[in-house]
Amino acid sequence: MSSNKIELDHKDMVHDSAIDYYGKSLATASSDSTVQISSIGGASAPSQLLATLSGHYGPVWRVAWAHPKFGSILASCGYDGRVVVWKEGAAGQWSQAHVFDNHKSSLNSIAWAPYELGLCLACGSSDGSISVMTMRPDGGWDSTTIEQAHPVGVMAVSWAPATALGSIVGSGELVQKLVSGGFDCVVKVWAFVNGSWKLDSVLPSDMHTDCVRDVSWAPVLGLAKFTIASASEDGKVVIWTKGKEGDKWEGKVMHDFEAPAWRVSWSLTGNILSVAAGSGDITLWKEASDGQWEKVTKVEP
Amino acid sequence: MSSDPVFPVLRHGDYFTKPSIDELVEREAADPGYCSRVPDFVVGRVGYGRIHFPGDTDVRGMDLNGIVKFGRHSVEVYKDEASKPPLGQGLNKPAEVTLMLNLSVLPEPSALGELLKCQTRKQGARFVSFNHSSGRWKFEVDHFSRFGLVDEEEEDVVMDEVVVRQPIAEVRDPPANGHELELSRSLPAHLGLDPAKMHEMRMTMFSNEEGDEDMEDGFPSDQRYFSSEKMNVDSPNSSAKGLRLRSLSPLHGSSLKVSRRPGVIGRREPQALLEYSVNSSEHGPSSHGILMSGQNKGFPVRMTKVDGFKLPSDQETPVAGNVYSNCVVDAALFMGRSFRVGWGPNGILVHSGSLVNRPGTGLSSVIHIEKVAGDKVVRDEKNKIKEELTDLCFSDPLDLHRRLHHEYLETESDLFKLKLQKVVASRFVLPDICRSYIDIIERQLEVSDLSMSSRVLLMHQVTVWELIRVLFSERATGNQLEPTGDEDQEGMILDKKEGTVAIDLEALPLVRRADFSNWLQDSVCHRVQGEAGSLNDARYLEHIILLLTGRQLDTATEVAAFRGDVRLAILLSQAGGSMLNRSDLSQQLDLWKTNGLDFDYIQEDRLKIYELLSGNVQGALVDSSIDWKRYLGLIMWYQLSPDASLDIIIHSYHQLLGEGKVPYPVPVYIDEGPLDESLQWSPGDRFDISFYLMLLHANQDEKFGMLKTMFSAFSSSYDPLDYHMIWHQCSILEAIGAFSSNDLHVLDLSFVYQLLCLGKCHWAIYVILHMPHLDDAPYIHEKLIREILSQYCESWSKDETQRVYIAELGIPVEWMHDALALYNEYYGDQQSALENYILCGNWKKAHTIFMTSIAHSLFLSSKHQEIWDITSSLEVHKSEIADWELSAGIYIDFFILRNSMQEKSTMDDPDQLEKKNESCSTFFGRLNDSLIVWGSKLPVEARACFSKMAEELCELLMNSPGEGLTPDLYMGCFQTMLNAPVPDDHRSSYLQEAVSVFTDILCRD
């Protein structure tokens, strides 16, 4: 990779960037109300702007690629309270497959569910509710809502991995859980039970003393426990772990950045956590031994 | 006089017009309306150039300085898109441009002419002339916008869109003096937010940045936006840019990029017209053209114009309404401070923040792509990847690992089975295993250009494998002796044999201790030699102490003898032997102290030697700094008894370590350096893996509580992401039964991650198969492997070696094809997707792709055999496919029906025709039903395909011999044909034929 920088055509701040499943396309969300899709070039081919999607009437906070099992699908959410599901048709033409505008406040976070659960999208809003939209086989969409998930506003949502630990009665049982963080300084886990979303557990609330900016559920690919990372305005990043079903969540402060911690995201194998904090600083962390996390500073030159 | 302005305005003195402003005033007075039709109007700048507008030009009320901008070697007209008039009006009309080029900063004038011609042509202008001596460059333009929506310009527009849509990727580092400005956004007024209050809120929330000037730019009001302070802020940037432009050498191939700020687009400096390059091959399409308006740069004309943060009036906003007054807008999102890192395969990071390890540069609209380095170990000292190192560090050790003896455990889930693997080895073969690993490491040491720190680590790995052999291997006992001779001799031999076995068993711990002692001497030998080299001959006692720390007794004795110190030589030759000797020496020292001997008359170094030989290690080395291995050796050789077992030795050191009396066993990269990077390390973090191995051995059969710490990467490497050797050590130790654990997933996964970053998917899967089976997570292996096959599909599918190897591991072939099918479908390769779906048994998916993407194109290309092959393989599983009869089954039945009609076409049998008619009627019904069922999923070509089927059958039906047929049957056939899904023109021809036949029938009667 000869180039490590892409000059986008965005005219304003870029809030989110996402690489698609195979690592070839990059989607960026910006305050200029657009989502741009670029190819990630290699040594022989430079990056190219493939499409500019205009459908939001305000800053776009997040973009998320769906699993390629459903085709080339991208979701975006923004300040205008809308979620747009984009679909790539023939010859690289993108169109709006669906638009959700049920929320009357800024939509701060979206997350696609694991592909085992179908094409399903969770959205967290500043009006305090979380919506979960599911596409039916006939192409329509169903929506369920968790009202007042966080009284002052939802900042982030993240899905649990679909494969369960512990209580397996059959090979087909799937986990359908969400974690959310909000302005009330609390991290909550929700479970879809008997056709509706229920509060599964409230993680100990004394770990964060300011609003929770982001939560991220680590992919359980080999590790025998659930792991959630949460980032807060108070500068702390907390790692929550739980062993089997029925155990309690335990939180441990991974690091105190002493500056707002904005976002956390896991690598695809779940062994490295990236943290965006302060005025644009990025650090990488990995678990060294039981419960201890160490900073990784090696990035390819 | 009319109140509308009549005269153009010219505010800058170095700009001029012809006629001049004064002349225009005079002529307007003499000839009212003259300014609306000024002939041959000229506007220019002294020393820069001029623009000549032939014909009549309407200059009334023009702010010429706002419209025309001359820069060095460039000119821009109507930079502000909003103020540009339609084509042909104002100054947006054909013109002749003359630019004065500064020849002193340009390349050779003789070559410049050709460059200018190319440059002019590329930007849509027509080259007229270039004067080499004066530097005057003339060209003609039709308008001052590249995006005029005139029909004749359509092709140009399309081409320009292609050109401008490609952002130039910056290869070079940004200039040191230039930092990326933080983007700011204007606060939309219609939101009803008070900018002052918003600013206060922001300062309250982020009080630590109160003095940051850039922060204030975040909320400029409309008045402040164009204030003089703003202009002053821009001035240094303009100067800096000018400096950069002037300092550019002709060899620079591209101009520097500056982050755009939406609010300051109107004041953007003109771009250099030329990119001066001697090498013409470096010329690429420029994203900045001659005379392009700034507003349009970088955006295709058809792109929706985004004015920034605006909400339509009918859109409800959280601030405008009263109902949602309790909702709090996320301040960080709103003020543009929050951003997220996106992850891709192979450890790729994308984000818009600062580079990792380079904090503080702030946010921008530049996206950084970084890669987490999991392959540090395969890079040389110049940080370039060495392919042979990849083989030696990963492939060769894993090949060796694979050849070891394995135990297999089959797991079954759903329809597939996996063979989990586990290495099993006896301690008797451990020496061979260690020797093999050492061979691989020694081959790595032969690679050129390795960095010094890499060499230190590799040497350390050799000692670690040796230590594993010393501590954990066992040797065969007792040689088989052939009994021969008479009874007496046989009895004698048996006695000898029994004695040998007994002796060996008793001696085994001592043999291991001796091996350990030798290992310890070898591993510290280089340090003793290194330190001895700095001593001169006058300090032979110090030299002897040094040799004693490495237990080089022979050499120490020789040094003493060489110096004529015979009695010391005798003492040294017996060092570390009998406890009695040590006791005697200790008593002698005590006696001297008791009797008040004045030690000033004995050299201090000699006293140290005596203390050491008496077993008082602490006393001998109170003021010496020594590494932990030598200190361990000193305790072993001089303090403890010669028959003390290894576990006693190790436990003694561990206990002293707890008391803080011995050096900390730090990892080798701290101990010996040097390091390429600085490390944050403090005592207590962890031990060196050698010490962990010793503790593991001394632990015997008790549960070892430090496995996780032992097998973290930091035990043997400063690279926290490098597990390439420690995974093998863990695997071998577990294989020989040194420990047993189900809790080292971090190690396995980290190694998998490292292998994936190198693109070694087959090895990653191999490692996964060695992860232990957990009752809590029985599907973890399948989940992991399928995810890797899917996400890294491109990587392994293009490498035949990896494909073969993955199959040999027993991974179901269906999984590989499933991953390939998904990949192909995602990238639009439907043909390959279909093949792979068939091979992995996903019949529904294969069928859907066949019907929607493949079948019709094959049929219309007359590739019937391929259709038959595909549908035949699908038909075996038609019970799993919905609507088979209305889907792929149609193709099978079509071929069957067509063949039967062709075969029997020579027979003159009314019953046959009747059967054909019924078959066709049924088939046409299915065609119509199929079109209804599939609906919009079928492309137009599929309908054409069905139409062609129907046509063929109708043709065959019509060509059947009809002699002697009853009229009813005849008309029945036509009725069938009219129901076929054929185009209307065919149906009308069938109708005419039917009418004709009917007429014949009527006439016949």
Side-chain angles (χ1 to χ4, degrees), chain B residues 663-706:
Chain B
Y664 199 86
V666 296
V668 66
Y669 52 90
I670 303 292
D671 202 11
E672 299 190 18
L675 281 181
D676 297 338
E677 302 102 5
S678 61
L679 277 180
Q680 302 291 331
W681 193 89
S682 60
D685 275 351
R686 60 187 48 80
F687 302 142
D688 186 77
I689 187 171
S690 306
F691 194 66
Y692 283 120
L693 288 168
M694 298 172 193
L695 291 176
L696 179 63
H697 175 267
N699 215 51
Q700 300 298 332
D701 294 327
E702 298 172 21
K703 182 166 185 177
F704 193 55
M706 289 186 256

Side-chain angles (χ1 to χ4, degrees), chain B residues 16 464 602 652 763:
Chain B
F16 66 91
V464 168
I602 305 180
S652 297
W763 290 124

Side-chain angles (χ1 to χ4, degrees), chain B residues 477-501:
Chain B
T477 56
N479 295 320
Q480 294 296 327
L481 297 178
E482 297 291 339
T484 55
D486 55 8
E487 289 280 346
D488 291 341
Q489 284 183 340
E490 182 172 351
M492 184 179 300
I493 293 172
L494 282 177
D495 287 341
K496 285 187 177 180
K497 179 178 177 181
E498 190 172 6
T500 304
V501 170

